[in-house]
Amino acid sequence: MADVHFDRVALIGIGLIGSSIARDIKALGLANEIVISTRSPETLKRAEELQLGSRYTTSAADAVEGADLVIVSVPVGASGTVAEQIAAHLKPGAIVTDVGSTKASVIAQMAPHMPPGVHFIPGHPLAGTEKSGPDAGFTGLFKGRWCIFTPLADTDGEALSRLKAFWEALGSRVDEMDPEHHDKVLAIVSHLPHIIAYNIVGTADDLETVTESEVIKYSASGFRDFTRLAASDPTMWRDVCLHNKDAILEMLARFSEDLAYLQRAIRWGEGDKLFDLFARTRDVRRSIIQAGQDVDTPDFGRHSLDKKP
Ligand code: NAP
């Protein structure tokens, strides 16, 4: 079995994802040393207060010196700049990976900077929340969640096995895809739902002036469920939209066609068409629960709200 323990891990970016990885590495004892780097002194200070690592620096280049594993957890639009900063300082034989939500663009930005002898293996854990920053992370975020790798043609098999074993130790299930396929799949399962949520919450916000406070007051009727997605980090999602443009536009075109079908069915009173679609989508929800990707209990803050007098 591949060795999941690293001597020195460097974490570049210590927000929700980076800090969750740090917490898991510490809790599971997967490294002798965790070096943390983030660009702002404020975030770095907070990471130190939370005792997420063993050493702290605002210099990504310093952080990767002597590291066996480097995990880049910054918005996808910043991947190229980080790769450029760290390239000359990477230890020969080091594994460099990322967690970015888009893969073809991250590879295009990072791969050209990677020196020979360094194993660059792009990755994406499908786990997260709408929160950001080092306080938002927690141990166990990746448990039972998929982590997808999009190895390059010349990726070293041993390095890939080691990285997979590391994510498995964090509780993830691992899979491999080619980057373009990853970007298409994620466009429909993640990117489109966020864009739809941003859009519907934006529309409701525009209508707020018409309906006064009723959008907020009666939000539990359905609107509330979109607001969690629409509260996600604006920088991260701006970058996802800009860096998975083609796949997102393709899925949006398909979505618009299907919406027009629904619109027509409502206009012409075609109840059978509506019922058939709504029954089919309910089955999708059942399949997600059966696959262990959600639980069948009503959630989204309802428990704590319901307990209030
Ligand atoms: P986050 O909580 O907002 O943290 C972002 C980190 O990146 C911070 O350390 C921040 O540093 C740094 N950063 C921001 N802009 C930067 C720039 N221009 N150059 C260098 N560093 C920069 O973000 P996150 O949720 O952890 O997301 C990190 C990555 O994980 C993204 O690529 C995202 O696509 C991916 N991802 C996110 C989720 C999710 O649900 N959130 C799930 C899977 C994958 P400062 O605070 O010091 O500025």
Side-chain angles (χ1 to χ4, degrees):
M1 213 187 104
D3 182 13
V4 295
H5 187 272
F6 290 87
D7 184 38
R8 184 181 294 172
V9 176
L11 301 177
I12 314 299
I14 196 70
L16 167 71
I17 301 296
S19 76
S20 295
I21 296 171
R23 286 172 169 96
D24 278 348
I25 294 176
K26 268 188 99 171
L28 299 162
L30 297 179
N32 293 338
E33 200 185 0
I34 306 171
V35 186
I36 287 175
S37 172
T38 189
R39 62 177 180 164
S40 76
E42 295 76 27
T43 305
L44 194 69
K45 182 166 170 275
R46 190 61 195 138
E48 196 164 359
E49 284 164 2
L50 293 166
Q51 299 182 4
L52 296 174
S54 355
R55 210 145 53 72
Y56 304 86
T57 171
T58 48
S59 162
D62 287 350
V64 304
E65 295 276 0
D68 310 289
L69 173 63
V70 175
I71 306 179
V72 177
S73 309
V74 301
V76 289
S79 318
T81 309
V82 168
E84 204 175 343
Q85 288 166 350
I86 63 176
H89 304 267
L90 292 164
K91 178 175 150 177
I95 296 176
V96 178
T97 188
D98 78 303
V99 297
S101 306
T102 69
K103 294 275 58 89
S105 157
V106 166
I107 293 170
Q109 292 178 71
M110 291 187 73
H113 296 289
M114 292 297 123
V118 162
H119 307 295
F120 172 50
I121 309 174
H124 178 204
L126 306 193
T129 72
E130 71 281 16
K131 302 270 169 38
S132 43
D135 285 281
F138 55 92
T139 46
L141 172 64
F142 308 105
K143 225 176 233 171
R145 303 280 167 239
W146 286 101
C147 185
I148 301 174
F149 297 97
T150 58
L152 313 183
D154 59 353
T155 294
D156 177 73
E158 208 174 302
L160 179 60
S161 301
R162 206 164 169 215
L163 187 62
K164 281 183 176 174
F166 170 82
W167 278 96
E168 281 170 344
L170 268 47
S172 288
R173 297 196 256 172
V174 297
D175 209 350
E176 266 181 59
M177 278 180 199
D178 73 66
E180 287 72 26
H181 187 66
H182 166 279
D183 289 355
K184 270 196 182 169
V185 171
L186 267 293
I188 190 66
V189 301
S190 171
H191 307 168
L192 207 62
H194 278 84
I195 290 165
I196 292 165
Y198 281 124
N199 190 53
I200 196 167
V201 175
T203 303
D205 188 46
D206 293 341
L207 289 173
E208 178 79 345
T209 45
V210 182
T211 60
E212 293 173 1
S213 64
E214 285 163 345
V215 169
I216 303 295
K217 186 173 167 188
Y218 300 121
S219 61
S221 324
F223 177 67
R224 181 180 68 173
D225 287 8
F226 285 102
T227 61
R228 187 185 67 78
L229 290 182
S232 299
D233 191 73
T235 305
M236 170 185 159
W237 284 97
R238 176 203 62 197
D239 279 13
V240 168
C241 290
L242 298 179
H243 288 267
N244 197 19
K245 180 176 160 182
D246 293 344
I248 289 174
L249 288 177
E250 189 183 325
M251 294 305 165
L252 268 176
R254 179 67 195 259
F255 172 81
S256 304
E257 270 178 36
D258 292 345
L259 192 62
Y261 171 88
L262 206 54
Q263 197 175 0
R264 215 168 23 247
I266 294 169
R267 182 182 309 285
W268 297 108
E270 294 170 331
D272 288 353
K273 282 188 179 165
L274 297 174
F275 186 89
D276 287 350
L277 175 67
F278 301 163
R280 192 152 58 84
T281 56
R282 182 180 249 197
D283 286 345
V284 173
R285 171 77 187 156
R286 285 198 193 106
S287 310
I288 287 170
I289 291 158
Q290 275 164 12
Q293 294 300 300
D294 206 348
V295 288
D296 197 16
T297 37
D299 194 2
F300 194 54
R302 293 186 182 100
H303 291 314
S304 47
L305 278 183
D306 291 347
K307 275 185 206 131
K308 282 189 181 161

